[in-house]
Amino acid sequence: MQSLNSAPSFRLPFPILRSIYGTFGHRNAICRQDCTRANLRISNLNSGRVRAASASADASTMSVEMAKRNVLGALSQIIDPDFGTDIVSCGFVKDLEINETFEEVSFRLELTTPACPIKDMFEEKANEVVAAIPWVKKVTVTMSAQPAKPVFAGELPKGLQKISNIIAVSSCKGGVGKSTVAVNLAYTLAGMGARVGIFDADVFGPSLPTMVSPENRLLEMNPETRSIYPTEYLGVKLVSFGFAGQGRAIMRGPMVSGVVNQLLTTAEWGELDYLVIDMPPGTGDIHLTLCQVAPLTAAVIVTTPQKLSFIDVAKGVRMFSKLKVPCIAVVENMCYFDADGKRYFPFGKGSGSQVVQQFGIPHLFDLPIRPTLSASGDDGMPEVARDPQGEVAKTFQDLGVCVVQQCAKIRQQVSTAVSYDRLRKVIRVKVPDSDEEFFLHPATVRRNDRSAQSVDEWTGEQKIQYGDVPEDIEPEEIRPMGNYAVSITWPDGFSQIAPYDQLEMIERLVDVPLPASTGV
């Protein structure tokens, strides 16, 4: 059986991803600018090649620090298109080393995910700009990815502590191809180089045992720790009630929620970049349990062209909105088929577009009616693995790129949404998906806590009085808590959960001055 740490037995063709983005220079619009720190000047933009000219120092008089500044200055010309910032400011450049003769340079580019769709172009451009420095004769670039870790402050179950992104694939309408999308998306991400797992959350009718063919079709449990070992297929970890030897369940709602919770949180997922959850139809107890137990990064919505499908899908989108889970893409399945040189739409048009327009979801992907896509779901081999260069695989590659990009943006926004400025002594807030930035007084934030420790739940009486909170109180730590709130730890040991909605309602500071030490 293939280990998760080893490469999957299939690979998505990278030229296709390259064609999606276009050339690196065109996509990222690297502008002509002087880099005074590195004594470099960008020239000859028409050919897309970056050349450097030394300003004052040569290798005989240059210090190691000056040489490193040269290299970092050159690398700062490479812009990450997702963050809109150069790769040096993003913190991607690691382990920069220069030999004693100032001729050989080596460094590592640590990206946010091994599935970065333009990692090859990052490597190529890094080699190019550093090799253009006059004193550099050899460049060694190593590519890596950040360790898997969730952007979440709460006490996560052990099984979820090393998962970077959890993606819910949902439709709320049965029979629209949600499981097909979930499985093929997972194997697309695996083909892009990511560590991936699939959780089949449908206890009443699990689909995963039919759609994949692992050698070991039974989950195993550690008798001492009571943890569950996922099975594997083509390098992707799998957990489903269908692999528990129980078939389809006949049980009441509370029992189902308990089973789903146990399967998800006690599984030994290990380090994963993406865990894809195949959500069951509806908006019931299971969905709320999953959203409460697992810090969902984002959701992908699956629909079909019919109006009835749109009505049910709209319920799911509203549910995710209330739970502060961003919906990043819509997949409209069974859209069309081609015959006799014409394209036919047997179920009509517009359901996917309507979801996108009404709810502001940024990306729409159309899947055709293909016998092979249906057959692959029945014989245990995902379509993207069977035919990685086919039309269906290309659509899933586009979807995979979208998921990687959007998850990276969400993590970046969440990690920097709320922070404490120790020089100004203010809490800075910039809520995700908002361009507005504002400042709050720490004491005001602490006094506005609405938890049971601060407010009597029965009478609404304020337990903590105004004078109980020192005016000069400062938070010890601020950590993101999912996509909707932050956890603030105060000097008295109190941990305050502050939702973004609540922070936006607190009285704001106006005309916050810069500290005198900045000289501004």
Side-chain angles (χ1 to χ4, degrees), residues 22 92 155 162 244 247 267 328 405 436 464 467 504:
F92 292 170
E155 291 298 326
K162 296 181 180 180
I328 58 176
Q405 285 184 314
E436 181 185 19
I464 296 182
E504 290 181 302

Side-chain angles (χ1 to χ4, degrees), residues 328-493:
I328 58 176
V330 174
V331 178
E332 188 171 4
N333 193 22
M334 296 181 282
C335 285
Y336 61 86
F337 67 89
D338 296 325
D340 301 325
K342 297 181 180 180
R343 177 158 292 184
Y344 298 90
F345 299 86
F347 303 119
K349 299 181 183 179
S351 174
S353 300
Q354 193 173 355
V355 175
V356 169
Q357 294 170 5
Q358 182 166 331
F359 297 101
I361 301 174
H363 304 283
L364 173 64
F365 300 91
D366 295 335
L367 281 176
I369 299 173
R370 285 285 187 276
T372 56
L373 183 57
S374 175
S376 66
D378 294 335
D379 63 13
M381 171 68 77
E383 177 69 6
V384 297
R386 180 190 304 279
D387 184 14
Q389 298 189 31
E391 181 182 356
V392 170
K394 291 178 182 178
T395 301
F396 276 107
Q397 288 162 15
D398 291 349
L399 176 61
V401 169
C402 171
V403 168
V404 170
Q405 285 184 314
Q406 295 300 314
C407 286
K409 289 181 180 179
I410 291 170
R411 290 176 62 85
Q412 178 73 6
Q413 291 175 343
V414 168
S415 64
T416 60
V418 182
S419 61
Y420 183 59
D421 188 329
R422 297 195 176 277
L423 293 177
R424 301 184 186 185
K425 297 187 182 302
V426 297
I427 293 177
R428 185 189 66 82
V429 182
K430 187 175 181 181
V431 176
D433 295 326
S434 172
D435 295 329
E436 181 185 19
E437 181 179 72
F438 57 90
F439 302 95
L440 303 175
H441 192 283
T444 303
V445 174
R446 178 67 177 85
R447 290 166 182 150
N448 277 271
D449 177 60
R450 306 306 297 169
S451 69
Q453 293 179 268
S454 301
V455 179
D456 189 290
E457 293 183 278
W458 294 101
T459 65
E461 180 183 356
Q462 191 77 28
K463 293 181 181 179
I464 296 182
Q465 302 302 315
Y466 187 93
D468 295 337
V469 179
E471 195 67 23
D472 61 350
I473 191 171
E474 297 184 55
E476 290 188 343
E477 186 179 19
I478 299 178
R479 298 178 296 169
M481 189 169 184
N483 295 326
Y484 71 96
V486 291
S487 173
I488 307 175
T489 303
W490 298 99
D492 59 1

